[in-house]
Amino acid sequence: MSAFVHDADRLARLGLTEAIFCGSKSAAQIEHILDSVGPTLPLLLTRLEPIKFDELPARLRHQLDYDRLSHTAILAGPPPPTGDAAIAIVSGGTSDAPVAQEAGRTLAFHGHACTMIEDVGVAGLWRLLERQALIGRHRIIIAVAGMEGALFSVLGGLVALPIIAVPTSTGYGVTTGGMTALHSALGSCAPGLTVVNIDNGYGAACAAIRILNSQRARKGDGQG
Amino acid sequence: MSAFVHDADRLARLGLTEAIFCGSKSAAQIEHILDSVGPTLPLLLTRLEPIKFDELPARLRHQLDYDRLSHTAILAGPPPPTGDAAIAIVSGGTSDAPVAQEAGRTLAFHGHACTMIEDVGVAGLWRLLERQALIGRHRIIIAVAGMEGALFSVLGGLVALPIIAVPTSTGYGVTTGGMTALHSALGSCAPGLTVVNIDNGYGAACAAIRILNSQRARKGDGQG
Amino acid sequence: MSAFVHDADRLARLGLTEAIFCGSKSAAQIEHILDSVGPTLPLLLTRLEPIKFDELPARLRHQLDYDRLSHTAILAGPPPPTGDAAIAIVSGGTSDAPVAQEAGRTLAFHGHACTMIEDVGVAGLWRLLERQALIGRHRIIIAVAGMEGALFSVLGGLVALPIIAVPTSTGYGVTTGGMTALHSALGSCAPGLTVVNIDNGYGAACAAIRILNSQRARKGDGQG
Amino acid sequence: MSAFVHDADRLARLGLTEAIFCGSKSAAQIEHILDSVGPTLPLLLTRLEPIKFDELPARLRHQLDYDRLSHTAILAGPPPPTGDAAIAIVSGGTSDAPVAQEAGRTLAFHGHACTMIEDVGVAGLWRLLERQALIGRHRIIIAVAGMEGALFSVLGGLVALPIIAVPTSTGYGVTTGGMTALHSALGSCAPGLTVVNIDNGYGAACAAIRILNSQRARKGDGQG
Amino acid sequence: MSAFVHDADRLARLGLTEAIFCGSKSAAQIEHILDSVGPTLPLLLTRLEPIKFDELPARLRHQLDYDRLSHTAILAGPPPPTGDAAIAIVSGGTSDAPVAQEAGRTLAFHGHACTMIEDVGVAGLWRLLERQALIGRHRIIIAVAGMEGALFSVLGGLVALPIIAVPTSTGYGVTTGGMTALHSALGSCAPGLTVVNIDNGYGAACAAIRILNSQRARKGDGQG
Amino acid sequence: MSAFVHDADRLARLGLTEAIFCGSKSAAQIEHILDSVGPTLPLLLTRLEPIKFDELPARLRHQLDYDRLSHTAILAGPPPPTGDAAIAIVSGGTSDAPVAQEAGRTLAFHGHACTMIEDVGVAGLWRLLERQALIGRHRIIIAVAGMEGALFSVLGGLVALPIIAVPTSTGYGVTTGGMTALHSALGSCAPGLTVVNIDNGYGAACAAIRILNSQRARKGDGQG
Amino acid sequence: MSAFVHDADRLARLGLTEAIFCGSKSAAQIEHILDSVGPTLPLLLTRLEPIKFDELPARLRHQLDYDRLSHTAILAGPPPPTGDAAIAIVSGGTSDAPVAQEAGRTLAFHGHACTMIEDVGVAGLWRLLERQALIGRHRIIIAVAGMEGALFSVLGGLVALPIIAVPTSTGYGVTTGGMTALHSALGSCAPGLTVVNIDNGYGAACAAIRILNSQRARKGDGQG
Amino acid sequence: MSAFVHDADRLARLGLTEAIFCGSKSAAQIEHILDSVGPTLPLLLTRLEPIKFDELPARLRHQLDYDRLSHTAILAGPPPPTGDAAIAIVSGGTSDAPVAQEAGRTLAFHGHACTMIEDVGVAGLWRLLERQALIGRHRIIIAVAGMEGALFSVLGGLVALPIIAVPTSTGYGVTTGGMTALHSALGSCAPGLTVVNIDNGYGAACAAIRILNSQRARKGDGQG
């Protein structure tokens, strides 16, 4: 197996550190990567199924902060973020929790706090309307929903903030795999929604970080 | 061309009279059918494109009550229905008007009045909430929406009535052809929605008539 | 894990109580929900696979009325409904039994009786024709069929009642997953069929309850 | 343009003469082919749209027996077949007539008579049941239907004969293009149906001729 | 569980006895069916996975003639057919053997012999050409192939017999699941091929039996 | 035709004024809408095909600022924006120009300037690398590309800014309709890209405006 | 309209000169490009529909060598190539001629001769076998076929040369648009076929040129 | 089980020896094939999952050179190739390693060396640009990438060599199964790429060998 070349430079280039997508890697490949980068580098692993995590050697398992809900693991991550959250993660139901959590863990790994607002699916619209003011107190919304994804359009009509829609693979029959939620987000009648891949909580968090970094740079510019 | 066999018996059997779907028939075939049934039989024609209508001989065009918005034509139809409407047709936008109108014309052809409630897409949720009470005064809802079809789920959570969702082919990109609206209706998180084919205003009206007829029979039973 | 917010209000709003869709929830999430709502609330759980049910703690398993055919579980449900059945559930073959049963259990949970009419696939048309009179003695038909779903169209031409078609995922090759049965139901040449998602016995029952509730309200109105 | 190489040998090899599929050929290409083969060869052209036929030079148009319903043209064809028809062509509705006619013209071109049985869609099941005995007096059935294609399964359960299903592209929404009818035929619960491509009346006729030729050869053997 | 209604009449009606498709039935449902029909009725079971067969009680397993290659089981079947085979089963590769075997077992169950001609995929065209004469000595061809299904077209051009194409789900990437082989068979440039569902060896055998029965009836007629 | 209800309130609610999507509206419907809102309201019309524009009455055509490249029309729009552009629109080829232009016109309608950077498809990578510094001087990137959409991933790896990908329907064969470009954007290996519907230049501009408005509000906050 | 930036450098970099894909460009855009590059640069235009060519100003039409079969135009192209052809273009039927011609014209534009071998579809296998020796006298095969694309696999088993498969959009029903031919080529049982996009005669020629250039470079190396 | 007919002649005919695709064969079938061919024949087995390999009898396992990364096994293969590599295998990430390795093992089995160039995905473009000169020192490129497959287009613009793209099934959501990477390769804006089936490392190697053999033959010719 050839040496893994870690893109350690990415943090400087993009303001984002590299994540290891474990979904299509074997436990042996993951072990090889962790050994290549060494124990001191902050590293985020996504889509690390419990069964694959359990196959890793104990010495590696003990170094990792593993979360069984979101299937993410963090190596040498920062302390938990504090202060007001700029980002709200709004999700439809219990089934969407793993993806919402992946987004939240990715934000925390990069030092950003977030507010989790769960169980606001549109079948009980009052649950969302009651939280409208709370949602509006943030700067960016990550919306997480599966099945038919109607949450995206309703949110898009209610708040003026940037919204990053994350369709989830929750559902059965025609909604199996998340294609319907994805297409609902892309085809929404509410203007200006943006969308990431199905179940891509990690990507939504990265998109939010790109916006925050751009705003931060700008505020620095303005003050210069 | 062989003689067309009209299912004149269907009214007795199903409480529905036969409609002629003109979408895949040539003007010559439609002319042949109209000549076979004779001028006195009530007949509903659907999907009769203006260009095809204009190809019909004048003697037939003059007998038909043709509607250019919904592409329906009625031969020897009943007078307009009067009295309270049992059915509300709720639609998302101007682009859905042809399908909503096809449903309304089919109801009128069978003697049923309806209330048209338009332009209540969820991107401006207040437009729908303002009409919630009006909608609730009916017995059956026909909901017509294209693009991402979020209207179906929101309605399904707001009202307890039977809802017949009609996805429309309005949209572009991933919503082209109506598949996304269809799948949103079928995969809705709101329980108990029913769905008909894309752009099938005629079918939704027939489904509503089946419910009304069943209720009527029942009320007759109860009074007997 | 945040507290689960149960939509207890839904019964009043929609005449339907909330069901917990277990298909995309872990056993830990289901346990959390059951603990949140407490043992006295009537609750319906759907798509609870036997393997997941067996993972629940014994104290919860003993409170649940679990059905291994339909994968439904009921917590504190009502006594079995009695009296004449207003709803007939008509299904094509043995493979469709789990979905038909999910519909039947959902109806029973809401206090409605039903008649089960099984093994009437159209490949042996006489089996269906022999039962035509029996089917016609009900007010609403739930039709359950997989493979090519020809049952829907044949039923739609034979009876004038409201028909709610439930395509099932039974089949192989081109009928794998139920898409063909779904499209057959939606594209039926019989007018006025309505359709729910693939394998959605629960949703079909809810749609039937919406119709019954609307009729009941109406009869009350008429008598007022 | 290189010389067209006509597979004149095919009649001897397969008992079928070559047809020219005009759907993806320009009028110039068709003219070139007709000029290559010369005026005396029997030739069948399929999918020759009226607009393309009208583009051909008059000298060619006059030699062709063109049918505007089925879009077929025959050059130097045989006299109309006489005697009892071994093949019944059973179709669902007026919209399926062009495809049924393509099958009938192909049979006639090869010297075989057929019986046309039209307008027997299953939405009015009695129309089909009334003709069951007539259908049963043939040796092979070509069944032509669009939309949801339920006709195939019902026929397959009623008659023991070889059935060649021809799905048609008639329909809209989910049945657009004929995929649903095709999949219904392939996934039918009735055993032993065979299927050809969408709108392929020509292919169905060829399949029937293969069966007849095989039977004829066999009878010759038996008598030898 | 309601009583299973066996379509015992089917043999008389269609010349085909009913098969039990086990793919979407539980072992408990299969046991129930076998107990309903009793041990003396000839019965064919298809798609009975080894793991499900092994779940059946020993008393049933011992009565069944089970074949682990084709996943078929026969209850009280006829003795092996003798005499010249009217049907050749021609298949592309080792991976297609289970489907070819399902066809062969179905034919044997109905008393028909067949010739198995294997490993004649077109990548080594000479293997097929060497067997062309052998194939031509039959009356009907069942062709079984997966991947790109080129075998169907080559066979169709070489022999004049009725050909029933059975696409198989053999393959990976774009050929996963058999859709490519199916579409190759349906869209073949060779005229008059007929097609059954993916992996449907059972259906192909039934189609062949329909042809044989029709020929037999006819020969009887001719001699009368 | 019922009165059109304009969502004039949307500007206050979302910082976005309503656009009229003309793609699925008839010229008559568009005329009706324009007459409803009156000539003084700023209004943006998208997907107004030249042929439909030419069908409008002259009195309306003269009031509209119509652009034949992007198929947009503006009624009573603001003067052209001045000052430094915060947004760069980066596109792959001449075929993407209409969509890029729709985005640019939507930004201008809302008072935002942009920089157009065209013809930087990755087949000639040096064209993009030469403009990397220019692109980096903006705050938000709208990337427009069709065919295989490789531009999105390359840009995502080169710049740290928020990137809104707009796949276009440019292409043929497997890239017909834009699905490949859409999926490339969603499935990109570069982290944090966001995506809008195919050809949705309007939506990308709205998403950019949501980000700018959120930054502006924030800078105001910071200064308070 | 911004200035078109021609990738004139591509010839040096890749041994291929740039082609202008006109399929998604307006006549105005094409005119603008031609005016930008000037009349002396050799330029290849593909997918230039006759109707669009006829819209160009006469001064440009006269400079272009336009071919109405392949929809290609050449500006200031080289003289026709002479000498032995290294490349054979083998195609299935008349309908594939435009794509085969696009490949041939692209080769000629780059100075390479080719041999056209047409009408060798596998439904008449002898036509192909008769030309096997001729085909084998070349160094590279471009194979062009639509419908089910069986030609690719048969060729792949017969000759050892590099084969570049070009699926065409010829066909109807399941083969509409070329997806079946494409998947047949990709999923072929013959090892080592390579494939380009549907109807991409241009791309196949470029791939052949890449091989020839690599061989030429190598032979130069060997002689150094 | 009938005797397996090995196409031992293929090496002479195509310069390629036959590989056994084990993906859709049972362990029993593989054992049967290995026993048929005998232990001395060089043989390549692909897609032999570890679990299936472990099911083979020990006497066979010991004869096979099995590679757990690529799931390939070699029986009586040649010694490792030496000398300069003519082929570079360029891949995007760790997840693509199994497919790249399958290509490399297939080349080695036929006696060809290759250079493995890994981890050059375009999200970190500098990693690819740094290796551009190394890549250019080969005669043929096999490019292996999953997800959105942007690597193919970037490579195609950078190097003039023949490029064989192998899309992999790496990814999730819209890139699940490799369809997006496949379509990106086919629809690339870089001219002259060729493509093989998803995950088909074996086929890419065979295509490269066809090119090398053609060049070798040619060089022989030139020297004669």
Side-chain angles (χ1 to χ4, degrees), chain F residues 122-123 125 129 147-148 150 153-154 157-158 174-175 180 183-184 186-190, chain H residues 122-123 125 129 147-148 150 153-154 157-158 174-175 180 183-184 186-190:
Chain F
V122 299
L125 192 62
L129 295 177
M147 302 182 78
E148 91 290 39
S153 290
V154 173
L158 290 178
V174 297
T175 60
T180 298
H183 287 181
S184 278
L186 288 165
S188 173
C189 55
Chain H
V122 300
L125 191 62
L129 295 178
M147 301 182 80
E148 91 289 36
S153 291
V154 173
L158 290 178
V174 297
T175 61
T180 298
H183 287 181
S184 278
L186 289 165
S188 173
C189 55

Side-chain angles (χ1 to χ4, degrees), chain A residues 137-160:
Chain A
R137 282 198 284 276
H138 296 80
R139 284 160 65 191
I140 299 170
I141 307 302
I142 292 175
V144 183
M147 302 182 80
E148 92 289 38
L151 177 63
F152 305 129
S153 290
V154 174
L155 261 180
L158 290 178
V159 299

Side-chain angles (χ1 to χ4, degrees), chain E residues 88-97 100 115-135 141-146 148-155 158, chain G residues 125 153-154 189, chain H residues 2-7 10 13 18:
Chain E
I89 300 179
V90 180
S91 61
T94 303
S95 307
D96 304 316
T115 308
M116 280 283 176
I117 301 172
E118 295 179 290
D119 275 321
V120 293
V122 300
L125 191 62
W126 54 269
R127 295 183 298 193
L128 180 61
L129 295 177
E130 280 180 5
R131 287 165 182 80
Q132 185 175 354
L134 168 60
I135 292 169
I141 307 302
I142 292 175
V144 182
E148 91 290 36
L151 177 63
F152 304 130
S153 290
V154 174
L155 260 180
L158 290 178
Chain G
L125 192 61
S153 291
V154 174
C189 55
Chain H
S2 67
F4 173 78
V5 184
H6 188 256
D7 189 357
R10 188 174 290 179
R13 238 172 45 248
E18 188 167 14

Side-chain angles (χ1 to χ4, degrees), chain H residues 109-133:
Chain H
F109 177 79
H110 287 88
H112 298 285
C114 69
T115 308
M116 281 282 176
I117 300 172
E118 296 180 289
D119 275 321
V120 293
V122 300
L125 191 62
W126 54 270
R127 295 182 298 195
L128 180 61
L129 295 178
E130 280 180 3
R131 286 166 183 79
Q132 187 174 354

